[in-house]
Amino acid sequence: MSHQLSRQYIAGFFDGEGCIRISSNCKDRGFGIHVFITNTYKPILDKIQSQYGGSVTLRDKATLKHRTCYQWRISNKREALVFLNDMESTLIEKRDQALLGIEFCNLGDIKANRFTRGDPLIRERKEEIKVTLSALKRIDHG
């Protein structure tokens, strides 16, 4: 598998197997974005990593009932922004989530330095994005 995967293929794969998550740290009140795809076919995840960065790790070892599962993950805001911008126009199910992820990545950092807490409006918007993103995952499209 030496050729590049098309943006459309990766977007379809991400729509079905991917996730965008915003995490927050109560200690320093900071936020982070995580974009990942979990699957049992590691060669595809390795190809996505070669095209977009991130890392591929073992998620669950095989059992009698399940195959070994791997996860491709980006936790870097710059890499997440590149990936989400590249995928957004082609996504179907996760398009709204990707737009929120893009907005999150484009917001400034909360902590200006270790003595200040940064802009409270940015912190508030990041929290809103986190809550909205979580709610989007619970919509029944039946």
Side-chain angles (χ1 to χ4, degrees):
M1 194 165 52
S2 61
H3 66 284
Q4 293 247 336
L5 299 173
S6 72
R7 180 173 53 107
Q8 293 82 2
Y9 179 86
I10 296 172
F13 201 71
F14 183 71
D15 248 346
E17 305 290 337
C19 185
I20 303 166
R21 187 175 73 221
I22 306 293
S23 63
S24 57
N25 180 333
C26 294
K27 182 179 177 186
D28 67 5
R29 303 187 74 183
F31 290 84
I33 187 165
H34 311 278
V35 177
F36 49 95
I37 300 172
T38 303
N39 199 270
T40 58
Y41 192 64
K42 188 174 181 284
I44 292 291
L45 301 178
D46 289 336
K47 182 53 92 175
I48 294 169
Q49 177 191 20
S50 74
Q51 290 179 228
Y52 288 99
S55 61
V56 176
T57 58
L58 175 68
R59 176 150 182 215
D60 297 306
K61 290 184 179 182
T63 67
L64 291 175
K65 295 183 179 183
H66 302 286
R67 293 187 288 172
T68 299
C69 192
Y70 301 92
Q71 188 173 77
W72 167 76
R73 180 183 195 122
I74 290 176
S75 294
N76 174 296
K77 190 163 60 171
R78 284 184 304 268
E79 289 178 344
L81 185 59
V82 167
F83 178 78
L84 294 173
N85 272 325
D86 215 20
M87 297 295 114
E88 178 268 320
S89 66
T90 312
L91 292 171
I92 298 170
E93 181 184 348
K94 292 189 174 65
R95 184 170 191 271
D96 290 341
Q97 294 177 41
L99 289 170
L100 287 170
I102 290 166
E103 180 185 352
F104 177 91
C105 289
N106 285 322
L107 288 171
D109 288 328
I110 291 172
K111 288 175 41 177
N113 62 49
R114 66 186 181 139
F115 301 109
T116 65
R117 292 206 168 127
D119 187 337
L121 294 176
I122 293 174
R123 183 181 320 107
E124 183 179 318
R125 182 60 189 142
K126 285 188 175 189
E127 185 62 39
E128 289 171 357
I129 290 171
K130 178 183 174 186
V131 170
T132 304
L133 186 63
S134 182
L136 283 173
K137 297 174 186 187
R138 291 174 177 77
I139 294 174
D140 184 0
H141 297 283

